[in-house]
């Protein structure tokens, strides 16, 4: 089926559904790792900073599971952006709620599993549930421009004749050599009887022809394979050079550079609440009887609401998504700085709700990236940003934990977290307000609306 532009529906809604469940299964448990964090503290008996590495690596970089999560997240976001144009904000908001719904459900589910099967049994069951991602991936069909057929893999048999060392001129030279050798044989005809000569000549000719053909075939194959390997190496090297060149070009974009710094600082400061909020309540001497709902579950619910509302707002033409994203960063930084003043369950719940809602800015982050670099460079740019976002997620919780081990309070730790998020927000704001704001230059809808697309079959 062909489309005049990005489908904005059709199979795209199936992409939204499977992307939702992919993020649900992939990120539900890592984001609800705060439930496991308390168990790890009791099981290992280590400091909060050292123990926080376990949870941060599960949601950041460094482990096989987190590597898979990073690949899955980039894949779901990229394919959704390809399928949707005018409703891109809504689609991204819907798929990103998968991780938030997963956070809400997995927070309660992991508590129940720990009570029933212990910590090890809980992790085994969560890992088994994650295998359902394979079924989701099988339904993701990439879009291809109808004018651009899928590239075929190069085979040795498809190497053009002009690349062979044995071209027509060389073949003619070989034929001349053979003719000369045959003329020499004719001179020997007079020295042998006619009957014996015919027999010997025929045998010699057959052996010579067979040997020549085998040698020629072998040399030709060696030449073709050698050329193929050289061309493949040159092509890969060229692709690597192009990738490095495109990366340098991306970082010359001031808005992208500021976005890169902002997402790194945001994940250093913004991720610890989801990991440490339960322990913050315990450290503030909040009684378990006061817990109407786990704070992590509150964060998960409000993150879902935030992703949906912010995603819908991003589709309004009169709203600048870059400024909207900056506003969420600055407000969240202030909320994080207010956490040390919360000494009761109610205030912690309110701040958890605010932080959770503003964490929903993940739904508009791909939208902002697309507006900054264009849909053609989205996968490249988003991959870079997600790598350093994962690095920030890995560093944030241990740093906050070390602050607690050093001061025996979370106050300085959350001041640090809030400062990081605020700094990233103001850096991005300054880049957005600069005269050479490339994001505003790309506010019109991207070029892919002029292409014809078709859904690639799974066959």
């Amino acid at each position: 089926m062909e489309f005049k532009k990005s489908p904005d529906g059709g199979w795209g809604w199936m992409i939204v559904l499977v992307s939702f469940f992919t993020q649900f299964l992939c990120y539900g448990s890592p984001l609800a790792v705060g439930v496991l964090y308390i168990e790890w503290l009791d099981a290992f008996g280590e400091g909060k900073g050292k123990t926080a590495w376990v949870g941060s690596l599960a949601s950041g970089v460094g482990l096989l599971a987190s590597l898979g999560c990073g690949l899955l997240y980039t894949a779901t976001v990229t394919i959704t952006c390809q399928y949707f144009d005018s409703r891109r904000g809504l689609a991204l908001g819907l798929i990103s709620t998968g991780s938030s719904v997963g956070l809400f459900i997995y927070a309660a589910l992991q508590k129940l599993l720990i009570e029933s099967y212990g910590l090890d049994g809980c992790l085994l069951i969560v890992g088994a549930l994650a295998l359902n991602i394979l079924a989701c991936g099988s339904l993701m069909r990439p879009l291809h421009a109808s004018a651009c057929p899928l590239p075929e893999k190069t085979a040795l048999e498809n190497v053009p004749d002009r690349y062979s060392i044995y071209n027509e001129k060389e073949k003619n030279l070989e034929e001349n050599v053979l003719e000369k050798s045959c003329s020499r044989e004719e001179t020997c005809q007079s020295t042998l009887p006619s009957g014996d000569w015919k027999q010997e000549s025929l045998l010699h000719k057959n052996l010579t022809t067979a040997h020549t053909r085998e040698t020629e075939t072998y040399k030709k194959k060696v030449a073709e394979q050698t050329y193929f390997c050289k061309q493949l190496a040159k092509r890969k090297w060229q692709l690597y050079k192009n990738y490095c060149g495109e990366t340098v070009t991306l970082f010359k974009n001031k808005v992208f550079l500021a976005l890169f710094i902002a997402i790194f600082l945001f994940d250093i400061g913004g991720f610890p609440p989801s990991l440490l909020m339960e322990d913050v309540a315990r450290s503030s001497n909040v009684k378990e009887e006061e817990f109407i709902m786990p704070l992590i579950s509150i964060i998960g619910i409000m993150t879902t609401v935030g992703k949906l509302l912010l995603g819908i707002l991003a589709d309004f033409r009169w709203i600048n998504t870059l400024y909207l994203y900056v506003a969420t960063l600055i407000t969240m930084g202030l909320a994080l700085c207010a956490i040390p003043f919360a000494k009761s369950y109610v205030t912690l719940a309110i701040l958890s709700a605010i932080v959770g809602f503003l964490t929903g800015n993940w739904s508009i982050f791909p939208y902002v990236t697309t507006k900054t670099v264009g849909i053609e460079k989205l996968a490249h740019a988003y991959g870079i940003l997600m790598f350093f976002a994962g690095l920030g997620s890995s560093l944030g919780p241990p740093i906050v934990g070390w602050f607690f081990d050093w001061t025996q309070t979370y106050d300085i730790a959350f001041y640090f977290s809030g400062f990081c998020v605020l700094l990233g927000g103001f850096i991005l704001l300054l880049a957005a307000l600069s005269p050479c704001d490339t994001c505003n230059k790309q506010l019109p809808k991207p070029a892919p609306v002029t292409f014809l697309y078709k859904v690639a079959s799974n066959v």
Side-chain angles (χ1 to χ4, degrees), residues 367-446:
Y367 204 104
V368 172
T369 307
T370 304
K371 292 293 184 182
T372 304
V373 302
I375 189 67
E376 316 83 24
K377 299 180 181 178
L378 175 63
H380 183 182
Y382 208 71
I384 296 172
L385 293 173
M386 286 302 97
F387 173 80
F388 285 94
L391 184 61
S393 298
S394 299
L395 296 176
I399 292 174
V400 171
W402 286 330
F403 274 121
F404 182 90
D405 293 337
W406 177 40
T407 62
Q408 294 302 306
T409 177
Y410 279 113
D411 292 357
I412 297 179
F414 277 95
Y415 290 145
F416 169 79
S417 295
F419 173 76
C420 287
V421 178
L422 281 171
L423 179 61
F426 282 117
I427 289 174
L428 187 56
L429 179 62
L430 290 176
L433 293 175
S434 63
C436 53
D437 181 5
T438 56
C439 185
N440 286 335
K441 293 180 182 178
Q442 295 192 15
L443 283 178
K445 294 296 179 182

Side-chain angles (χ1 to χ4, degrees), residues 63-351:
L63 295 178
L64 185 60
S66 57
L67 175 62
C69 287
L71 294 173
L72 287 169
Y73 184 81
T74 303
T76 55
V77 167
T78 302
I79 195 171
T80 302
C81 287
Q82 289 177 353
Y83 268 88
F84 288 89
D85 185 15
S86 61
R87 294 189 238 180
R88 184 175 293 156
L90 174 62
L92 289 171
L94 288 172
I95 69 166
S96 61
T97 56
S99 57
S100 306
V101 175
L103 167 59
F104 173 71
I105 293 178
Y106 271 90
L109 177 62
Q110 288 179 160
K111 274 190 174 182
L112 181 62
L113 291 175
I114 289 172
E115 293 174 0
S116 302
Y117 303 102
L119 182 59
D120 294 341
C122 169
L123 294 175
L124 284 172
I125 294 173
V126 169
L129 290 173
L131 290 174
N132 291 285
I133 295 173
L134 295 173
C136 297
S138 65
L139 295 172
M140 292 185 181
R141 301 176 182 177
L143 286 174
H144 297 290
S146 58
C148 302
L150 292 175
E152 296 182 358
K153 291 185 178 179
T154 306
L156 290 177
E157 292 79 5
N158 297 332
V159 177
D161 292 337
R162 67 177 180 275
Y163 296 148
S164 176
I165 293 179
Y166 288 87
N167 51 30
E168 293 298 327
K169 292 182 179 181
E170 291 174 341
K171 288 179 180 178
N172 292 334
L173 288 174
E174 289 179 357
E175 290 174 358
N176 294 334
V177 171
L178 288 175
E179 289 176 1
K180 289 180 180 180
S181 64
C182 291
S183 63
R184 290 176 183 174
E185 289 176 1
E186 289 175 359
T187 58
C188 298
Q189 293 177 8
S190 58
T191 62
L192 293 171
S194 60
D196 295 340
W197 174 83
K198 287 180 181 179
Q199 243 180 354
E200 188 176 345
S201 176
L202 183 60
L203 180 61
H204 178 70
K205 187 175 183 181
N206 290 338
L207 290 173
T208 304
T209 303
H211 178 71
T212 303
R213 286 178 180 174
E214 290 178 1
T215 304
E216 183 178 346
T217 303
Y218 174 75
K219 288 183 177 181
K220 186 175 181 179
K221 284 185 178 180
V222 170
E224 289 177 351
Q225 291 176 359
T226 302
Y227 177 81
F228 176 78
C229 292
K230 288 181 178 179
Q231 290 300 108
L232 184 62
K234 287 181 180 179
R235 183 183 178 187
K236 295 300 181 183
W237 175 248
Q238 189 61 42
L239 289 174
Y240 174 75
K241 287 175 63 178
N242 292 342
Y243 179 84
C244 293
E246 290 174 4
T247 303
V248 172
T249 303
L250 285 174
F251 279 99
K252 287 181 179 179
N253 183 332
K254 290 185 178 180
V255 177
F256 177 80
L257 180 60
L259 199 62
F260 163 81
I261 297 172
I263 192 62
F264 178 69
L265 293 174
F266 171 75
D267 273 86
I268 287 180
F271 178 68
S274 62
L275 177 63
L276 304 173
M277 212 60 181
E278 297 292 329
D279 193 53
V280 170
R282 189 167 69 170
S283 301
S284 300
N285 297 320
V286 177
K287 298 179 181 179
E288 291 188 6
E289 295 79 19
E290 299 179 20
F291 277 72
I292 302 173
M293 183 184 296
L295 296 176
I296 293 179
S297 295
I298 295 175
I299 293 175
I301 293 172
M302 293 308 298
T303 302
T304 303
V305 176
K307 286 178 176 178
L308 282 173
L309 290 181
L310 292 173
I312 292 171
L313 288 175
D315 284 331
F316 289 103
R317 293 181 178 273
W318 50 272
I319 292 181
N320 188 311
T321 51
L322 181 59
Y323 293 140
L324 178 63
Y325 185 73
V326 169
T328 61
L329 292 180
I330 295 175
T331 309
M332 185 172 179
L334 295 174
L336 289 171
C337 291
I339 289 179
F341 298 98
K343 301 300 180 182
S344 66
Y345 174 79
V346 174
T347 52
L348 284 173
I350 293 173
L351 288 173

